[in-house]
Amino acid sequence: MGSTNVSHEEELMMSRLVDSVKQISKFSNSKGFFGRIQGDLVRRITLLSPFFEELIDICAELNEEQLKGFEVMRIALDSSLELFRSVNGGSKLLQIFQRGSVVQKFHDATVEIEAALTQIPYDKFEISEEVREQVELLHFQFKRAIERREEYDLQLSHDLAMAESVVDPEYPEILKRLSQELQLSTIDELKKESHAIHEYFLSYDGDPDDCFQRMSTLLKKLVDCATTESSEPDASTGSKTISRHRSPVIPEYFRCPISLELMKDPVIVSTGQTYERSSIQKWLDAGHKTCPKSQETLLHSGLTPNYVLKSLIALWCESNGIELPQNQGSYNRTTRPGGSSSSDCDRAFVLALLEKLANGTTEQQRAAAGELRLLAKRNADNRVCIAEAGAIPLLVELLSSPDPRTQEHSVTALLNLSINEGNKGAIVDAGAITDIVEVLKNGSMEARENAAATLFSLSVIDENKVAIGAAGAIQALISLLEEGTRRGKKDAATAIFNLCIYQGNKSRAIKGGIVDPLTRLLKDAGGGMVDEALAILAILSTNQEGKAAIAEADTIPVLVEIIRTGSPRNRENAAAILWYLCIGNMERLNVAREVGADVALKELTENGTDRAKRKAASLLEIIQQLEGVVISTVP
């Protein structure tokens, strides 16, 4: 098929493909949460380059159908390149909160490239056998990658939940782990992240949503963590996370666009622009209805505190020896003159829906609950508006509806409402926990899954963990863990993990027989639940009953194998479980030694995470002492 009669279009096509691959290869060393999934895709794409280059070398002549195939490939590679740039240049916190969507984009990119390879008859070109075999192998790898979906990171979910809402003895360690995984541990990285969040907000169509508030709050905590870390000099490098400047220049985005002064109390208007509160308030009091900087019409006059920027300004002032800005006093979130909450939510429409919930027919109740479910999902203001209108008690009452669809809508609406921290208490006060558990036991599969997710959301508050466990949720969650769909199992596992942070729920889970299904999931490497099973077993292994039950399930050989071959996070959890099982128990130590734990642990002390190294070194020392005793008793 070789020819020298190659059109300019064909030559240009191949050159563009080679150039796209070169651009994509620059992202091969990306780290962070998406580092592995991105690295795998970049590596596969990069290996396509020899194929394209050889087609240029042999001056391959392409027919119209083949050109279409390569055009599909060009589009797929351009789309992938745009994805890589987005992931590596946007807000890391936004990506982590929307990780399901980002992972799906990586999957979609893989699907597009595989589809393009399917349309390219690479076996028909007169290319070297080596290159042809490589393309065939790559095509097979792309097909496998499509079938193998990325799993939910339970540990990350736990860390985010703890970092956002829970005060825990290991809280600083959790923040540090998050900052390292997200690469947000230095002041420069945090400044870039603040700017990225600001850019996202500017491009966002509408008012600040709950995700934005969560991003802002968590970034503030990471800033505080960086400040604490930077207070102790690093003797080995003689540097600090935050460096001092002799003649500081105020960063442009720290200045108010109106006064051009360093902002003391930055607030965000509906267009996404940030101003000093006193300056923008004077502008609004003068009767202006537009944003001073963008000249866009303001949707409302509400002012949202920009806590992230305020923290970064304070941190910048401290690091540069400048007097910290004085607070201008407290201010309620997004208020209008007269004290009413600002929201685009149509209160009259919501009240009409509530009337149908309370007094409508079954069909009207089902439709109204469905509308509220969608409204509550849409944005943060809607969640506040719906709750203030009195929807929560009515939705709780409909959890007992004989109509399965109404029940599904009601529990999902409560799930969406519970995203708002203030609504969590209102849902619990309305007596929802018992009814949600009943849905978890007897509802449709979708209702059971969303009930599990709702319980997880409510369990972020410590006292709710006690109430949810006492209501019988653990046993129902274990049933969902065994019987549910993939999504249902993951929802159940996430809820169980969070509930078992409370000691009393560990006993309930163990007595409920959770260890056996977890062990089955642990041994089923293809089931996609190994991460979750390990994380839950790790938290149960700190309990005496849990240690006994886990050991009786013959898990030690499996744990040792995971220490040998698992992911870094799984190796860490497996080592922790093994440590708890074996400390003070000679019988289990012997079992671990017999299945080769010493070799696996030695390797882990060299290549594991910090926590894994500590557990492995401690356990390895005890095993080696045991071996010494055994040898000394041999005649």
Side-chain angles (χ1 to χ4, degrees):
M1 219 176 148
S3 170
T4 57
N5 185 27
V6 181
S7 71
H8 175 69
E9 182 182 3
E10 293 166 351
E11 186 177 348
L12 181 62
M13 171 68 73
M14 291 303 151
S15 297
R16 290 185 64 179
L17 290 172
V18 170
D19 183 62
S20 293
V21 172
K22 286 180 180 178
Q23 293 295 319
I24 289 171
S25 68
K26 295 176 182 178
F27 296 98
S28 60
N29 295 322
S30 297
K31 299 178 181 178
F33 178 69
F34 297 110
R36 183 183 62 78
I37 180 175
Q38 177 175 298
D40 287 346
L41 183 55
V42 170
R43 176 182 55 78
R44 295 188 190 106
I45 292 173
T46 303
L47 290 173
L48 287 170
S49 187
F51 173 47
F52 301 144
E53 290 172 352
E54 189 156 330
L55 289 175
I56 294 175
D57 291 342
I58 66 172
C59 301
E61 185 178 352
L62 307 178
N63 60 37
E64 185 176 346
E65 198 64 32
Q66 291 164 349
L67 269 174
K68 286 181 181 178
F70 282 107
E71 175 63 16
V72 172
M73 176 63 76
R74 183 193 65 77
I75 294 170
L77 292 181
D78 287 349
S79 176
S80 297
L81 181 58
E82 183 179 346
L83 172 60
F84 294 138
R85 286 171 175 164
S86 171
V87 168
N88 289 274
S91 164
K92 295 175 182 178
L93 290 179
L94 175 64
Q95 292 167 9
I96 214 70
F97 283 128
Q98 298 182 348
R99 55 196 179 279
S101 171
V102 178
V103 168
Q104 182 61 45
K105 289 178 182 177
F106 277 111
H107 180 264
D108 292 344
T110 302
V111 170
E112 290 173 6
I113 295 172
E114 191 280 327
L117 280 172
T118 300
Q119 294 186 47
I120 297 172
Y122 47 81
D123 57 332
K124 304 295 184 184
F125 295 107
E126 295 178 2
I127 55 178
S128 65
E129 192 67 26
E130 180 183 356
V131 170
R132 180 180 291 106
E133 288 178 357
Q134 180 170 302
V135 177
E136 288 175 353
L137 178 60
L138 278 173
H139 195 179
F140 175 74
Q141 289 177 350
F142 274 107
K143 288 179 178 179
R144 287 286 301 275
I146 292 171
E147 297 169 359
R148 185 178 63 252
R149 303 300 293 263
E150 289 297 314
E151 302 301 338
Y152 192 73
D153 191 329
L154 187 62
Q155 182 68 52
L156 178 65
S157 173
H158 170 253
D159 284 352
L160 284 172
M162 298 289 278
E164 287 186 272
S165 307
V166 180
V167 177
D168 184 84
E170 295 187 358
Y171 182 72
E173 185 177 334
I174 289 170
L175 282 177
K176 186 177 179 181
R177 186 161 62 224
L178 277 175
S179 67
Q180 290 172 344
E181 180 147 9
L182 299 178
Q183 295 180 290
L184 294 175
S185 55
T186 70
I187 185 59
D188 286 338
E189 289 169 344
L190 290 164
K191 282 181 179 178
K192 289 178 182 176
E193 178 64 18
S194 176
H195 184 67
I197 292 175
H198 187 65
E199 289 298 313
Y200 160 71
F201 187 77
L202 290 178
S203 64
Y204 186 78
D205 185 18
D207 290 346
D209 60 1
D210 185 67
C211 181
F212 178 81
Q213 297 299 329
R214 293 175 68 198
M215 289 157 58
S216 300
T217 302
L218 183 54
L219 184 56
K220 180 181 184 300
K221 293 181 179 180
L222 293 174
V223 168
D224 293 340
C225 180
T227 308
T228 303
E229 288 288 315
S230 69
S231 63
E232 299 180 5
D234 185 342
S236 63
T237 63
S239 64
K240 291 184 177 182
T241 303
I242 304 170
S243 59
R244 298 184 177 273
H245 304 281
R246 291 181 180 177
S247 301
V249 176
I250 299 174
E252 190 64 29
Y253 51 91
F254 285 178
R255 295 177 184 271
C256 173
I258 297 174
S259 68
L260 301 181
E261 298 292 331
L262 180 68
M263 286 184 278
K264 301 178 180 67
D265 190 11
V267 293
I268 306 167
V269 297
S270 66
T271 59
Q273 297 288 346
T274 295
Y275 299 94
E276 170 60 35
R277 182 187 295 280
S278 60
S279 298
I280 190 63
Q281 193 63 59
K282 288 178 183 177
W283 172 269
L284 296 173
D285 291 346
H288 296 291
K289 304 294 184 183
T290 58
C291 172
K293 188 172 183 178
S294 69
Q295 296 301 308
E296 296 176 69
T297 301
L298 295 171
L299 297 175
H300 57 73
S301 59
L303 304 176
T304 303
N306 192 333
Y307 294 117
V308 175
L309 188 59
K310 188 172 184 177
S311 295
L312 289 174
I313 290 172
L315 185 58
W316 179 84
C317 288
E318 183 180 345
S319 66
N320 287 281
I322 297 174
E323 185 179 354
L324 293 175
Q326 297 298 310
N327 290 333
Q328 299 298 304
S330 61
Y331 195 85
N332 291 331
R333 177 186 180 274
T334 322
T335 57
R336 284 195 178 107
S340 64
S341 298
S342 76
S343 172
D344 293 329
C345 182
D346 186 339
R347 187 175 177 83
F349 177 62
V350 171
L351 290 174
L353 292 176
L354 299 193
E355 175 63 27
K356 292 178 182 177
L357 285 187
N359 302 309
T361 64
T362 299
E363 289 74 17
Q364 288 174 328
Q365 287 179 330
R366 183 192 309 129
E371 287 281 0
L372 289 170
R373 168 184 181 172
L374 295 175
L375 279 174
K377 182 179 181 180
R378 194 164 297 157
N379 61 51
D381 282 343
N382 284 359
R383 290 189 272 277
V384 174
C385 175
I386 291 168
E388 288 180 347
I392 288 174
L394 295 173
L395 289 168
V396 170
E397 188 175 336
L398 286 178
L399 292 175
S400 304
S401 169
D403 180 62
R405 197 64 182 150
T406 302
Q407 191 180 72
E408 287 172 14
H409 287 327
S410 299
V411 74
T412 310
L414 289 170
L415 168 61
N416 295 335
L417 289 172
S418 73
I419 296 171
N420 178 282
E421 292 302 310
N423 289 345
K424 285 179 168 63
I427 292 170
V428 173
D429 291 343
I433 289 177
T434 302
D435 291 322
I436 294 171
V437 171
E438 191 61 30
V439 174
L440 179 63
K441 291 177 180 177
N442 301 311
S444 66
M445 185 54 70
E446 181 183 344
R448 292 174 68 191
E449 290 170 353
N450 289 337
T454 307
L455 291 176
F456 167 71
S457 178
L458 297 177
S459 71
V460 168
I461 298 174
D462 278 351
E463 54 263 34
N464 290 347
K465 292 180 175 68
V466 181
I468 292 169
I474 302 289
Q475 192 65 61
L477 288 167
I478 293 172
S479 296
L480 183 60
L481 185 67
E482 293 184 280
E483 304 164 1
T485 63
R486 174 70 67 85
R487 178 197 156 197
K489 289 179 179 179
K490 290 188 179 294
D491 285 334
T494 305
I496 290 169
F497 181 91
N498 210 43
L499 288 170
C500 285
I501 293 171
Y502 168 60
Q503 193 70 23
N505 286 335
K506 293 179 186 178
S507 297
R508 290 189 176 100
I510 294 157
K511 290 174 182 175
I514 192 172
V515 172
D516 283 344
L518 287 178
T519 303
R520 287 194 292 273
L521 294 174
L522 193 65
K523 293 178 179 179
D524 181 14
M529 291 291 293
V530 173
D531 294 3
E532 289 80 359
L534 271 174
I536 298 171
L537 286 171
I539 204 169
L540 294 178
S541 65
T542 61
N543 176 282
Q544 280 299 124
E545 297 173 276
K547 284 195 283 190
I550 294 168
E552 288 172 8
D554 193 28
T555 54
I556 290 177
V558 185
L559 293 172
V560 172
E561 182 60 28
I562 291 171
I563 291 172
R564 284 198 193 99
T565 62
S567 66
R569 182 75 47 77
N570 284 352
R571 295 177 78 198
E572 176 184 315
N573 278 331
I577 298 166
L578 191 62
W579 187 87
Y580 281 115
L581 293 183
C582 293
I583 290 298
N585 191 298
M586 298 296 287
E587 182 182 348
R588 294 173 196 161
L589 274 169
N590 272 318
V591 173
R593 186 173 62 87
E594 289 168 2
V595 295
D598 50 348
V599 177
L601 290 168
K602 186 175 186 305
E603 197 276 331
L604 190 59
T605 61
E606 299 170 355
N607 300 308
T609 63
D610 289 343
R611 178 171 178 249
K613 287 178 179 177
R614 291 196 300 271
K615 296 295 185 186
S618 173
L619 194 53
L620 186 59
E621 182 179 354
I622 296 171
I623 290 176
Q624 288 171 343
Q625 290 173 358
L626 175 63
E627 289 175 342
V629 171
V630 172
I631 292 170
S632 65
T633 58
V634 176

